[in-house]
Amino acid sequence: MTVRLLLADDQALVRGALAALLDLEPDLTVVAEVGRGDEVVDAARNAHPDVALLDVEMPGLDGIAAAKALRDAVPTCKVLIVTTFGRPGYLRRAMEAGASGFVVKDTPAKQLADAVRRVHAGLRVVDPMLAAETLATGASPLTDRETDVLRAARAGGTVANLAKELHLSEGTVRNHLSAAIGKTGARTRAEAVRLADENGWLLR
């Protein structure tokens, strides 16, 4: 039996390399490739893949949101997240979204092919180092609003700019930033953004 695969990655070179490697396996075949997260569901409906390999950071819709959309729209298609960003918060969110596996892109080709087969067979596949980090890190300590404020603060800008963008008062934005800085153990707003991002807490 041949396992049908959908690949979603915004980097065409990476997507092409993955497709070439996986197509070398006699029991795996790539039936669809997309470069945006918001193209995943339509591609799955058209190509009927058994397993979708999704990157996390893509335009249109991130891979974790795409995994959830795929679970709802095409429940027969299993999801394996294959990403450069092995962040603990991403793993937790991916599992909650219905992904069956999570591996990093530098996984050797034979291991990746094996991960695809195991996910297709109904098993969970998780990078062991990332699993350990996720258990150690725990869930995000930030509230939804603190997450929104830090996400908006990624691009810089003044408190006034953030308040306008988020439709909040400047005092409320300052309070959320202060709380987020405290919870992340950061010294500055920029450091709080960096730490939250590294832990995968700012993904939508």
Side-chain angles (χ1 to χ4, degrees):
M1 178 184 173
T2 302
V3 181
R4 298 165 61 84
L5 308 178
L6 180 157
L7 303 184
D9 194 304
D10 62 329
Q11 294 181 299
L13 199 61
V14 173
R15 197 170 67 242
L18 269 178
L21 285 170
L22 292 168
D23 269 335
L24 291 174
E25 299 293 323
D27 59 334
L28 305 179
T29 183
V30 176
V31 295
E33 295 181 41
V34 297
R36 296 176 56 90
D38 52 6
E39 295 173 347
V40 168
V41 169
D42 283 346
R45 283 181 172 141
N46 291 332
H48 310 290
D50 301 305
V51 179
L53 287 77
L54 309 181
D55 187 21
V56 172
E57 297 199 352
M58 293 187 287
L61 202 64
D62 68 67
I64 292 173
K68 185 177 185 309
L70 195 54
R71 182 188 65 186
D72 295 341
V74 189
T76 55
C77 182
K78 305 272 197 327
V79 172
L80 175 62
I81 300 289
V82 184
T83 184
T84 307
F85 303 98
R87 296 172 182 165
Y90 285 6
L91 171 57
R92 188 181 300 276
R93 297 277 302 282
M95 294 295 127
E96 289 169 355
S100 297
F102 194 112
V103 296
V104 290
K105 282 181 182 169
D106 60 3
T107 300
K110 288 293 180 188
Q111 285 184 29
L112 179 59
D114 187 51
V116 169
R117 293 183 188 104
R118 290 170 66 193
V119 163
H120 179 246
L123 302 173
R124 279 201 184 276
V125 180
V126 176
D127 181 273
M129 288 290 290
L130 192 57
E133 283 180 41
T134 300
L135 288 172
T137 306
S140 173
L142 304 171
T143 65
D144 288 346
R145 188 52 92 181
E146 288 160 4
T147 302
D148 288 342
V149 170
L150 280 190
R151 203 180 281 132
R154 269 175 166 164
T158 64
V159 168
N161 294 145
L162 297 179
K164 186 175 180 183
E165 180 183 339
L166 296 166
H167 308 290
L168 298 171
S169 71
E170 291 183 28
T172 300
V173 168
R174 284 195 194 91
N175 288 342
H176 287 313
L177 283 172
S178 178
I181 288 168
K183 287 178 181 179
T184 56
R187 292 183 299 274
T188 65
R189 179 175 92 177
E191 189 181 7
V193 170
R194 180 180 62 77
L195 290 169
D197 207 17
E198 285 175 359
N199 281 304
W201 296 336
L202 299 187
L203 207 60
R204 290 190 184 279

